[in-house]
């Protein structure tokens, strides 16, 4: 009788324990979407964990990272705009100081081979240093940021939870931010579900025709499925008043003058304005550019010089179909995913 | 009994003989034992000691200037022994940040022995420049000692900074800032300003490194040679250098700024 009683108690406790475990283990770590290539981020030196990711998210939305504690990474990378700075040609940072470029999206960064419009940063773990220390962005020093975090009431314990030590190191700080950023995967557009052959998902006739045009006229640079080949190209936009020389600033090779990184077209309905300096406010304006406004500036990309005049010829009908296809690259779930929002 | 006494005396005599031989002969080194060797970087300007903020100097194109900062990385030390073998200081303990008025020494831990040559890199090699952030500690910590020796926008360490003022600089504050960096790029080739310096130590005194003694290689580092050399820099022409390409003439110049002055054994 006694023995049976104890067995029952053990089973009951075991059962409860198992239930509790299930609740705890809801965190889903980084997963490669089935229709995506292998990521390039070095997960071997930064294992994603729930605590690391949550710490990274808190840091991403932390205003202590700026000189006067007013702005965070999330100020210029807004989730509802696919982590870009909607409504601004060039982004404004601390004290509304203007930069020279439009903030790129925090999206699918685990596949990025370099960061920034000019590719000046090759490792995501080193990326955060640039906006934090830039005079027109957060204008803070790295030693100050770490000192503020070390003196805060919350962060030492959160770093201990995530990395096993409450001593806040440069490496742990940057890797926590990376953990949050690589988790920001956008892979649930209509295009993705169709490519994954999900039941009941297919292009409309118009979208399919647009897709065919896309493959013929855009896919060289905006390569599927990431919709960028991560290369640097001059797409023939006029040279800006600040004469931003793009990739040349990094390589200091004349052949790289006026080249910028090819941006992904994913979520393009939410990431306006377009180009490195946000000069085009609508997709229509971008297509106008490619159809009739491409200019012969130094190092204009050869793929834009194949016809009698530079650019990509597009009929009105082709434009309508192309835009219909491009709309299928929007991933609304990414914009509303609570995991990526300020908590 | 008497025999025994003779034996004892013989033994004592023999022992003394060996001891005296040892004294007069070459130093016995235990190459398995490591000892401290310091390398002193003594910054000068031509024939004068470098004095920050106060002293006035003149460059090769006749411009007068004052120095407010001189700071540079030295790394990847190698030492050549008298038998020609080369000892490479392990990389994790081979990075030093020299700054006038702050730190002028690289303390190395090397096998006992006599050395005839030293070589080191001015700057931070490409391997460390592309290494995981967790390996960039101490003087290489971009949020610590390296915070002002790191380009965030173009990931990489600044190898050398020479800053000051010159009436030849047109700007109101007359400030010049010469920063050199550039390790050759991650994937696309970019300017490489890494310079390896090799100095002979035989002419001015070889270091004899042994435990329980101090040995110091005293180098003179001539700030004037950052400015003068294959390209004579002009503050009027260029006041600011903040990226690899314009730093190329600087690096070519400063590759010749180190000389061995003497060794303290």
């Amino acid at each position: 009788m006694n023995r049976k009683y104890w067995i029952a108690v053990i089973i009951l406790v075991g059962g409860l324990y198992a239930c509790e475990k299930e609740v705890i283990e809801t965190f889903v770590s980084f997963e490669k979407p089935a229709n995506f290539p292998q990521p390039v981020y070095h997960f071997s030196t930064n294992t994603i964990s729930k605590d690391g990711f949550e710490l990274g998210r808190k840091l991403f939305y932390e205003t202590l990272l700026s000189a006067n504690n007013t702005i965070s990474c999330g100020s210029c990378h807004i989730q509802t705009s696919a982590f870009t700075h909607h409504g601004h040609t060039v982004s404004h940072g601390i004290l509304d100081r203007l930069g020279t470029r439009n903030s790129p999206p925090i999206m699918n960064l685990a596949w990025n081979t370099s960061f920034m419009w000019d590719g000046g940063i090759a490792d995501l773990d080193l990326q955060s240093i640039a906006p934090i220390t830039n005079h027109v962005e957060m204008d803070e020093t790295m030693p100050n940021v770490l000192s503020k975090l070390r003196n805060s009431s919350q962060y030492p314990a959160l770093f201990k939870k995530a990395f096993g030590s409450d001593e806040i190191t440069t490496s742990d700080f940057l890797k926590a931010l990376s953990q949050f950023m690589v988790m920001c995967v956008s892979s649930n557009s209509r295009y993705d579900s169709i490519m994954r052959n999900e039941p009941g998902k297919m292009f409309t006739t118009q979208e399919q025709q647009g897709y065919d045009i896309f493959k013929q006229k855009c896919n060289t640079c905006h390569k599927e499925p990431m919709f960028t080949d991560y290369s640097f190209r001059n797409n023939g936009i006029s040279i800006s008043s600040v004469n931003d020389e793009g990739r040349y600033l990094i390589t200091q090779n004349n052949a790289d003058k006026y080249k910028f990184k090819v941006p992904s077209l994913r979520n393009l309905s939410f990431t306006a304005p377009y180009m490195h300096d946000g000069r085009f406010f609508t997709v229509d304006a971008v297509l106008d550019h490619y159809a009739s406004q491409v200019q012969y500036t130094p190092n204009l990309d050869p793929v834009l010089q194949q016809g009698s005049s530079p650019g990509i010829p597009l009929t009105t009908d082709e434009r309508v179909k192309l835009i219909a296809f491009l709309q299928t690259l929007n991933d609304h779930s990414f914009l509303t995913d609570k995991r990526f929002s300020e908590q | 009994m008497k025999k025994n006494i003779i034996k004892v005396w013989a033994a004592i005599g023999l022992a003394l003989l060996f001891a005296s031989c040892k004294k007069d002969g070459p130093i016995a080194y235990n190459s398995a034992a490591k000892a401290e060797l310091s390398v002193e970087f003594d910054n000068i300007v031509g024939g004068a000691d470098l004095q920050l903020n106060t002293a006035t100097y003149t460059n090769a194109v006749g411009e007068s200037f004052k120095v407010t900062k001189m700071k540079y990385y030295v790394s990847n030390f190698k030492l050549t022994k008298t038998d020609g073998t080369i000892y490479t200081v392990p990389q994790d303990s081979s990075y030093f940040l020299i700054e006038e008025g702050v730190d002028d020494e690289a303390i190395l831990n090397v096998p006992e022995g006599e050395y005839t040559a030293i070589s080191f890199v001015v700057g931070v090699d490409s391997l460390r420049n592309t290494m995981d952030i967790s390996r960039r500690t101490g003087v290489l910590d971009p949020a610590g000692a390296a915070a002002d020796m790191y380009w965030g926008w173009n990931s990489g360490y600044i190898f050398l900074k020479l800053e000051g003022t010159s009436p030849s600089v047109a700007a109101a504050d007359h400030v010049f800032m010469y920063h050199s960096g550039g390790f050759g790029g991650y994937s696309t080739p970019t300017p490489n300003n890494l310079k390896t310096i090799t100095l002979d130590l035989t002419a001015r005194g070889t270091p004899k490194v042994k435990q329980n003694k101090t040995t110091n290689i005293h180098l003179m580092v001539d700030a004037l040679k950052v400015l003068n050399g294959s390209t004579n820099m002009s503050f009027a022409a260029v006041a600011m250098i903040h990226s690899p390409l314009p730093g190329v003439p600087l690096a070519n110049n400063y590759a010749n700024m180190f000389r061995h002055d003497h060794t303290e054994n």
Side-chain angles (χ1 to χ4, degrees):
Chain A
M1 183 68 181
N2 247 353
R3 210 171 138 196
K4 270 187 188 163
Y5 169 80
W6 278 114
I7 287 168
V9 167
I10 287 166
I11 288 169
L12 207 67
V13 170
L16 281 176
Y17 182 69
C19 281
E20 202 175 34
K21 224 175 173 182
E22 264 170 49
V23 173
I24 288 169
E25 287 178 358
T26 49
F27 175 71
V28 180
S29 186
F30 180 87
E31 282 178 335
K32 183 188 88 64
N35 61 321
F36 277 27
Q38 285 301 325
V40 298
Y41 182 71
H42 47 89
F43 290 98
S44 61
T45 64
N46 192 12
T47 308
I48 310 292
S49 68
K50 178 174 182 284
D51 293 327
F53 163 77
E54 287 177 356
L55 171 58
R57 178 175 60 200
K58 191 171 169 62
L59 291 169
F60 186 85
Y61 291 107
E62 179 54 75
T63 55
L64 288 178
L65 270 52
S66 62
N68 60 4
N69 307 329
T70 55
I71 63 169
S72 72
C73 308
S75 303
C76 291
H77 298 284
I78 303 163
Q79 187 182 10
T80 50
S81 306
F83 293 100
T84 61
H85 207 180
H86 186 75
H88 297 275
T89 50
V90 292
S91 300
H92 60 82
I94 196 164
L95 304 171
D96 281 332
R97 286 178 199 151
L98 287 176
T100 54
R101 295 177 185 166
N102 180 260
S103 48
I106 308 293
M107 163 180 84
N108 300 337
L109 295 188
W111 287 267
N112 270 40
T113 50
S114 69
F115 303 88
M116 298 297 210
W117 280 104
D118 56 23
I121 298 159
D123 182 346
L124 181 61
D125 291 356
L126 302 174
Q127 165 60 37
S128 306
I129 298 172
I132 289 171
T133 57
N134 189 311
H135 174 68
V136 299
E137 295 181 56
M138 300 169 99
D139 198 25
E140 184 51 290
T141 69
M142 289 293 292
N144 265 350
V145 169
L146 293 194
S147 156
K148 284 192 267 185
L149 297 177
R150 284 168 186 150
N151 290 326
S152 77
S153 56
Q154 313 170 48
Y155 280 104
L158 294 174
F159 272 84
K160 189 171 175 60
K161 225 172 132 194
F163 296 104
S165 167
D166 56 11
E167 181 196 337
I168 298 175
T169 66
T170 309
S171 176
D172 291 344
F173 167 71
L174 293 171
K175 284 180 189 262
L177 280 165
S178 290
Q179 288 200 24
F180 171 70
M181 291 190 282
V182 294
M183 286 287 287
C184 293
V185 174
S186 176
S187 63
N188 292 315
S189 64
R190 259 170 53 66
Y191 163 85
D192 290 307
S193 56
I194 293 162
M195 290 300 135
R196 290 193 293 255
N197 297 313
E198 287 172 15
K201 302 281 185 179
M202 56 200 300
F203 287 127
T204 64
T205 309
Q206 194 186 39
E207 287 166 356
Q208 181 62 52
Q209 288 168 337
Y211 184 31
D212 294 339
I213 295 163
F214 174 85
K215 282 192 281 193
Q216 191 198 333
K217 300 195 171 184
C218 315
N219 199 28
T220 308
C221 308
H222 296 286
K223 195 165 167 262
E224 291 179 85
M226 307 317 288
F227 291 89
T228 167
D229 66 350
Y230 301 107
S231 65
F232 300 91
R233 297 172 189 257
N234 175 356
N235 70 347
I237 52 172
S238 60
I239 295 167
S240 65
S241 56
V242 296
N243 191 31
D244 191 337
E245 295 174 315
R247 179 71 174 155
Y248 172 80
L249 298 174
I250 302 306
T251 65
Q252 299 184 305
N253 174 353
N254 284 325
D256 286 330
K257 265 191 187 165
Y258 305 117
K259 290 183 181 177
F260 293 88
K261 192 193 290 157
V262 175
S264 173
L265 300 181
R266 288 177 168 274
N267 290 313
L268 97 166
S269 294
F270 318 118
T271 59
Y274 309 104
M275 307 297 135
H276 71 274
D277 56 2
R279 66 177 68 190
F280 299 135
F281 302 148
T282 61
V283 175
D284 261 319
V286 175
L287 293 180
D288 281 344
H289 164 74
Y290 284 117
S292 61
Q293 294 162 13
V294 170
Q295 298 185 17
Y296 282 114
T297 52
N299 303 314
L300 174 65
D301 203 88
V303 301
L304 295 171
Q305 301 189 50
Q306 289 169 346
S308 50
S309 57
I312 306 169
L314 283 169
T315 65
T316 312
D317 179 53
E318 282 176 326
R319 280 174 70 138
V320 172
K321 289 167 178 167
L322 189 56
I323 288 175
F325 166 70
L326 293 175
Q327 304 287 341
T328 70
L329 303 180
N330 294 330
D331 173 5
H332 289 269
S333 73
F334 182 62
L335 273 59
T336 53
D337 193 325
K338 290 261 186 305
R339 291 177 303 153
F340 309 141
S341 310
E342 189 170 5
Q343 304 290 303
Chain B
M1 190 65 172
K2 209 177 178 185
K3 245 184 180 176
N4 268 351
I5 289 169
I6 288 169
K7 267 187 191 165
V8 169
W9 278 113
I12 290 169
L14 213 64
L16 279 172
L17 192 71
F18 276 123
S20 60
C21 275
K22 210 174 175 180
K23 240 181 188 167
D24 293 335
I27 304 169
Y29 295 112
N30 175 8
S31 58
K34 288 216 176 128
E36 190 181 291
L37 169 65
S38 60
V39 185
E40 187 176 340
F41 293 85
D42 191 347
N43 298 323
I44 59 171
V45 183
D49 189 37
L50 171 58
Q51 290 184 326
L52 291 183
N53 309 315
T54 50
T56 302
Y57 309 102
T58 307
N59 67 12
V61 296
E63 298 167 333
S64 67
F65 66 98
K66 288 177 177 170
V67 177
T68 54
K69 177 179 278 207
M70 182 165 176
K71 193 171 183 180
Y72 48 91
Y73 277 106
V74 285
S75 67
N76 291 276
F77 282 82
K78 288 180 184 174
L79 286 139
T80 310
K81 265 191 184 171
T82 44
D83 66 2
T85 56
I86 292 173
Y87 176 73
T88 303
V89 177
Q91 251 217 340
D92 279 341
S93 44
S94 205
Y95 293 87
F96 303 90
L97 196 45
I98 305 297
E99 181 174 8
E100 178 63 23
V102 179
D103 199 348
D104 66 351
E105 263 188 338
I107 309 277
L108 310 175
N109 205 25
V110 302
E112 286 191 358
E114 185 177 354
Y115 294 92
T116 59
I118 186 168
S119 93
F120 54 88
V121 169
V122 185
V124 177
D125 53 286
S126 59
L127 190 68
R128 191 64 58 152
N129 248 306
T130 55
M131 210 171 254
D132 192 81
I133 184 65
S134 61
R135 303 284 302 278
R136 299 157 181 248
T137 52
V139 296
L140 297 173
D141 182 348
D148 70 336
M149 293 297 277
Y150 184 82
W151 283 322
W153 55 276
N154 183 5
S155 302
Y157 292 94
I158 296 168
F159 301 160
L160 176 139
K161 278 187 173 180
L162 184 70
E163 297 178 1
T165 55
S166 169
S168 299
V169 175
D173 59 5
H174 304 302
V175 167
F176 71 87
M177 290 185 183
Y178 283 0
H179 297 177
S180 160
F183 61 89
Y186 274 80
S187 47
T188 310
T190 57
N192 184 337
N193 284 325
L194 287 162
K195 295 292 173 193
T196 303
I197 313 298
T198 304
L199 299 171
D200 169 71
L201 302 174
T202 57
R204 318 275 303 187
T206 50
K208 299 174 176 72
V209 182
K210 209 162 158 37
Q211 283 186 341
N212 302 317
K213 75 184 266 286
T214 56
T215 312
N216 178 269
I217 298 174
H218 194 120
L219 304 181
M220 292 299 191
V221 186
D222 190 351
L224 206 51
K225 290 191 175 169
V226 178
L227 307 171
N228 305 340
S230 53
T231 305
N232 288 325
M233 304 302 295
S234 158
F235 301 122
V238 181
M240 296 290 162
I241 296 179
H242 287 298
S243 68
L245 189 62
V248 169
L250 284 184
N252 288 338
N253 284 352
Y254 68 63
N256 297 309
M257 74 173 170
F258 301 87
R259 71 177 165 82
H260 181 215
D261 190 74
H262 64 277
T263 299
E264 290 136 29
N265 272 303

